[in-house]
Each structure stands twice: as structure tokens, then as C-alpha cells.
Amino acid sequence: MKKAMVILFLSISAPLFAEYFYIKDYQIDIQLHHDTSFDVEERILVHFTKPRHGISRFLPVLTYGKSPIFISGLHAVDDCFFEFTDLLINESKKEKAGIGWINIPEDFAVAFGKPVKYAEMNKTLRIGTVFAEIDGDRLYTIRYRVYDAILDMTNNFLFSWNVIGNQWDNEIKKVSYKITLPSEIKLSSMDMRVYTGNAGDKGKNATVVCDGKIVSGKALSTLYDNQGMTVTITFPAGYFVPVHSGLWTEIESLAVSMMGIAPRFYQWFIMPGAILLIVFLLWCFLGRDRIGSLATQFFPPRGLTPAEAGILYDDKMDPHDILSLIYFWAVKKCIRIEKDKDGFALRKLQDLKDARKYEKTLFTGIFYAKKYVKVEELGKELSSVMYDVKQELQETIKNAKYYTPGMNKLSKFLGAMSHVFFWFGLVWLMFMLNYCFMARYASIMWEVAILGGVLFIGGTVLFMFGGNHPVYKKIYFVIQVIIYSFLFTLMFMFLYTLLGSFITWPMILSFFLNAAVCRGFKFIMLRKTSQGMKKFREVKGFAEFIEKAEKDQLRQLVDERVDYFEMTLPFAVAFGMAGAWIKKFSGIQIAMPSWMSGKGVGKDYDIDMFRRDMESSWSAFRGTYSAGWEPSGGSSGSSGSFGGSSGGSSGGDFGGSSGGGFGGGGGSSW
């Protein structure tokens, strides 16, 4: 079973068909840099004898007998492509070494830049698209940067690169190469070598010449199946200043890959641009509020609860809008917030009077058949009524005619579209990440499947017996994400193998940009009526006063009205300014709210103690309240081993052999 699983996952990167093409012309252009990195451009003119979707090109970055290299920004020019990594253990090398019985997990084959022997890793680029097939000639251009492939041999530097790898299973009719040096240097024929033939051969069926900064050459005849070409150049000590790959090269690799995507695939960005233009024009002509001048308001707006004021303030319903009602009821002496060593609790003192429908629904839901509720129990109480509370609050705002109905519908439509775009983008992103994970860690898929089963069982037990504690719920949510991500990827693995060349970073980013545009305009598109603008000016004027009030103004207001601080606090909570509002009263003689009682609340109770208790209480409220908010439901290597062929022989010949350098690899059609 385990073997079957491994074969299944490895099949996503294996060629599925026989070869139906040959290469008419293969041109390699290499630009060396003084830091020992170099850029490679391969132009491959392919002739397809039967219609195919495209080609796959793989490059070895870790090979038995050689030190590892790093390839950055591997991409195809003017073609859709998909990059992933294959890592395998060379079992035959293990057998020859007499350790075939030892299991080397592929995922641990490269750890912290130190390769485990017998590991082999390729970077693979699949070029083309599943939606079209190609017949006849097609030119593919591939670019990438290479690090750690020029060896510092103490007395000199050695560049040895397989310009044609030994793993092409087809004829290559014509080959030419050009290597541009970072600065002019005199190279003798002893400093430059070129080898052709099968891996390990030392054929001379190619030329090599140096003209100033250019080293160039070509194959003298056709290269047949599994025949390659290796160029080696020896440079004097001090010619290069070595640098090794690191974190920055990893970041650079992603950036170069994205920028290297064919320009036509950036047409995905036309969609978010068009959506932005359309909704911006709609907002300018239909959705923009003409606020005008604001008058400072020293008192909360009349006729509004803090929840309604919070919605008018930012045109959206937030958790703290409804949370403010708890403090609003406390000010009205309907409830009391009690503090003890275990946290906070709510005690009902009397029923609500002259309250909105959504207030009564929430109040009844909290205190159903009891008068005392601990905060940690609120999640269970709120989850059963929160959806109704939100719907009734929205209905109250609608009936008050604060917003024009047409723009309200447009706002809801934009909100729905933001969710659609976001989830599509997330699905493609999860496909991309999980596919890369499977290609890289194919050998441990069986273990991952077992882990998924354990997580599923553990998550189920946690859900059934963990209660409503918010920490348990968050753990269960994370487990769900892991499980469904894994199962979802398994289900669509082969589909994604086909669509991998279609899915690009511009496509994924485009969906997220669409979601951001729709989400951003969802709220500002809500144009208010004249009645709504009147109330909004009162709310906004009071919110600005809360933000900018000076102590002298507050002292005067407290002198005029003793309960000023207490009556304004619920609105500060709704605006998200409660902490800053309480701090402004530090040093002002005010009466502490009578609705906060319990441990530590005594005659020495001051504004700083109250602020700490308030922060603790609303933090505790939010922790349980959130449960009801949503609807239920650089490496070094032995220079001695470098001269060997790809077969792994420790060739002592300085010049090497065909396939004895870095790079190379091969390819196939798909």
C-alpha cells in the first residue's frame, strides 16, 4: 500500500507519454558574474511529430558525487509554465555502497544545506497549457540564475557546466553555446575543454574558442539520445569573489519567476482594474456621501443606541457594535458586571424597558431562565441568538431609512462577490502550495495520510468533549483547515496536474485583488439618505470629539453632568475608542460607574483600575462573543569528486567528461 501511495504521488511529475518530438536547434547563452553566479538562457527549437501540450525541462540541483547548487528564478519566457521540485533517493547507489537496507526519508535528504549521500533532486519546469496542443515547430525560451556552481579550487576557479544534459531521450540536431565572461582574460586551449557523448565519455565532437570576453562553440554533428555536452573553463585565483545562495536568493527566485511569466498572462490584472474602474465610477456618481461641514457634538446622538451609532460611524456591523449594548444596559441599571477571582459575570437587575427588538432578543438569549451568567458561558448563550440579533439590527437600520435601498443591494452584491473571488483565489493558492508539497515530499505521503487520520479523530474528540472553550474551538478550526486542505488536494491532484500550467501567480493574485476591490467598495458604496446623513453628522461629530477632547473640556462636562463619563462610555466602545476615552479621564475627579462591582472594587477604586477591568472585561466578552458572531453551521563539496561523470565515478582527470559538470538534466513532452 505504501509503495502504491508513493508511486501515485510521484506520478504527478513523471512523463506520461512517449516522446513525440526532436530538437532542431538548441542555443545556450550564459552570462558569468564576478560573484560566481551566472545567468542562463536556453532557446530550444522543438519539432513535434504529434500534437503535444508542451515540454517538461528538469535541471539537477543535487546529484550523487557533486555538491549541491541553487537555481533561482527558473521560468519560461512567453509561455505558461509551472515549476516544482522532485527529490529521489538513488537506490542503486545505496545498493552498491552496501546500505540498501537503510531507509533514507526523502524529505530529510537535504537538511540545513548538508546533502545526505545518495539523494538526487531536480528542479522541473513544465511548459505549455492543457487547453491547446502544438504540432510542428515551437521555440521555447528558458531563463534562470545559478549559484554555487563555480568551484573555488584554492589555486584557481573551475567552471564546468553541462550545456546539454545526458537525459534527453531524443535527437538534438544542432547545438551552439556562448559564454560571456565578466571581464576580459586570456585563456589558453588548456584552460577550456568541451566533452560530448554519453555520461562519462570524453568525446571531442564540439568546438570551443575564446574571443575577448566571449567563449563560444558548437556541436559538430547531431547529439543522439542521452548524449550531452559539457564545457569546462579554468580561471586564475582572484578572478571571482565567491558568494553563496541564501535567503535573499530564495526571495529573488520567486520574484524573478513571477516577473518572468509571459506578459499575456498579466492580462489577468485587467479584471481587477476594470472592476475598480466600474465601482469607482458608481461610487462617484451614485454612492458617494456629501458629508459637508461637521459640528462638534459633546453628547451621544439622541434616538440611537450605541450599536446603531457604531454602524452609522463606519457603515458596517462589527462585534464591538453589539458588545457595546452590554455596557449600555449596565448604564441603564438593567444589569451589573461582577468581578471575581474566576473572571467576570453578568447579573440581571431588571427587564429592559423601551428597548429595540434586537436588544430584547439578545437580552433574553443571555438571561434565558436565569439571572446570573458567567462570561465564559456567554459563547453558548450568544451562538443561538446572534444570527437573529444581527438580522433584526439590520432590519432596524433599514426601516429607519438611513441608507438608499438600491445602493444597499449593490453593497451586498459587492460583499458576495468579494467572498467568491477570495475563495477562488484561496482554492488555487492551496492547490499551488499543496501540489508543490506533494512533489517535494512524495515519500512521506503515507505518513501524512496517517497524520491526517489522527488529526481527524483527535479533532472529533475535541469537538465532542472540549466544550465551548474558545481555545478548543480555535484548535479545532486549525485541525479542520489542515484536514480539508489535504483531502481537497488529494481529490483534485490529477486535475491540478493538468491545470498546473494554466494556474499562474498573476491569476491567483488577480483573484485576491478582485476580492480586495469588492470588499473595499462594499462599505463606502452605502449612500445615506438625508435622514441618514443627519444622524451620521451627529455620530461623526461626537466620535471626533471623543478622539480630540481636551481635559479642560471634559472637566467642564463632568461638572455639568455627573454621569457624563458613564453615559458616553458605551458609544466609545461601539466606535472602538474605549481605551483611549477612559485614559482621557485620568486625573479628573469622577464617580466610578456603579455597575462594576466585586473583588477589588472598593473605595480606593480609581480610573486606572477601572480601565484595566474594562479592558479585561471586554477582552473576555469578545473571546466568548466571537463564537456566536458567525452563523453556526551556500554549500561546499569535495573538489576531488567533481571531475567524475554523472555515473558517480571519482574521475581524477581534471578536464572531466560529458555529464561531469553541474546542470544539464533533460526533458520530455507532455
Side-chain angles (χ1 to χ4, degrees), residues 158 186-193 232-235 654:
L158 179 63
K186 291 184 178 180
L187 296 173
S188 67
S189 59
M190 297 296 293
D191 296 324
M192 303 177 296
R193 304 286 182 89
T232 67
I233 306 175
T234 304
F235 297 93
F654 166 81

Side-chain angles (χ1 to χ4, degrees), residues 446-562:
W446 180 249
E447 288 81 357
V448 172
I450 295 175
L451 176 61
V454 172
L455 287 174
F456 179 77
I457 295 172
T460 302
V461 172
L462 188 67
F463 177 75
M464 294 176 63
F465 303 104
N468 288 302
H469 195 283
V471 175
Y472 292 156
K473 289 184 176 295
K474 290 178 180 178
I475 294 174
Y476 181 64
F477 174 76
V478 172
I479 290 174
Q480 280 184 314
V481 170
I482 295 173
I483 293 171
Y484 288 116
S485 171
F486 177 71
L487 294 177
F488 194 60
T489 307
L490 279 179
M491 187 182 303
F492 291 96
M493 181 181 61
F494 290 107
L495 174 63
Y496 187 56
T497 303
L498 295 176
L499 295 179
S501 58
F502 170 72
I503 300 169
T504 62
W505 288 111
M507 173 186 172
I508 295 172
L509 184 57
S510 171
F511 276 97
F512 285 121
L513 288 176
N514 292 334
V517 170
C518 292
R519 183 73 176 175
F521 276 89
K522 170 189 174 182
F523 301 109
I524 66 174
M525 198 63 74
L526 286 168
R527 185 172 185 175
K528 300 178 183 68
T529 61
S530 57
Q531 172 68 12
M533 282 305 303
K534 178 181 178 181
K535 287 296 182 182
F536 171 76
R537 291 190 183 98
E538 294 180 20
V539 170
K540 189 70 173 177
F542 182 58
E544 287 193 356
F545 175 71
I546 288 179
E547 187 177 359
K548 301 176 182 179
E550 302 291 338
K551 285 190 181 295
D552 290 340
Q553 293 174 306
L554 295 178
R555 284 194 181 95
Q556 184 177 352
L557 289 167
V558 169
D559 290 341
E560 292 177 1
R561 184 158 179 170
V562 178

Side-chain angles (χ1 to χ4, degrees), residues 148-328:
D148 308 326
I150 297 180
L151 297 181
D152 185 353
M153 312 288 285
T154 306
N155 296 323
N156 51 55
F157 287 95
L158 179 63
F159 167 83
S160 184
W161 187 255
N162 303 323
V163 292
I164 301 295
N166 297 93
Q167 293 165 288
W168 285 99
D169 294 325
N170 48 266
E171 293 182 355
I172 305 177
K173 300 291 187 181
K174 183 180 178 182
V175 177
S176 61
Y177 65 89
K178 183 179 73 171
I179 304 172
T180 304
L181 309 182
S183 59
E184 286 194 16
I185 185 174
K186 291 184 178 180
L187 296 173
S188 67
S189 59
M190 297 296 293
D191 296 324
M192 303 177 296
R193 304 286 182 89
V194 60
Y195 300 95
T196 59
N198 295 318
D201 290 349
K202 300 179 182 293
K204 303 293 184 180
N205 193 27
T207 62
V208 56
V209 295
C210 179
D211 182 10
K213 292 174 58 177
I214 305 297
V215 175
S216 61
K218 63 181 180 179
L220 298 177
S221 62
T222 297
L223 297 180
Y224 295 98
D225 296 6
N226 303 120
Q227 290 187 339
M229 179 189 294
T230 299
V231 176
T232 67
I233 306 175
T234 304
F235 297 93
Y239 186 75
F240 292 104
V241 180
V243 64
H244 297 290
S245 61
L247 176 61
W248 175 247
T249 53
E250 293 277 4
I251 299 173
E252 177 195 51
S253 178
L254 177 61
V256 172
S257 295
M258 289 184 64
M259 295 303 295
I261 294 173
R264 68 175 182 271
F265 294 104
Y266 284 93
Q267 293 174 3
W268 280 106
F269 294 127
I270 294 176
M271 183 162 49
I275 294 174
L276 176 61
L277 177 62
I278 292 171
V279 295
F280 177 76
L281 292 175
L282 287 173
W283 174 73
C284 284
F285 294 104
L286 300 175
R288 183 168 51 153
D289 286 324
R290 274 66 177 178
I291 299 176
S293 59
L294 293 175
T296 301
Q297 303 289 326
F298 300 107
F299 292 90
R302 293 185 178 181
L304 293 177
T305 67
E308 296 163 9
I311 292 175
L312 282 172
Y313 174 65
D314 55 11
D315 295 327
K316 59 182 178 179
M317 186 187 302
D318 297 306
H320 53 69
D321 293 334
I322 298 179
L323 177 62
S324 65
L325 293 173
I326 293 177
Y327 301 99
F328 186 58

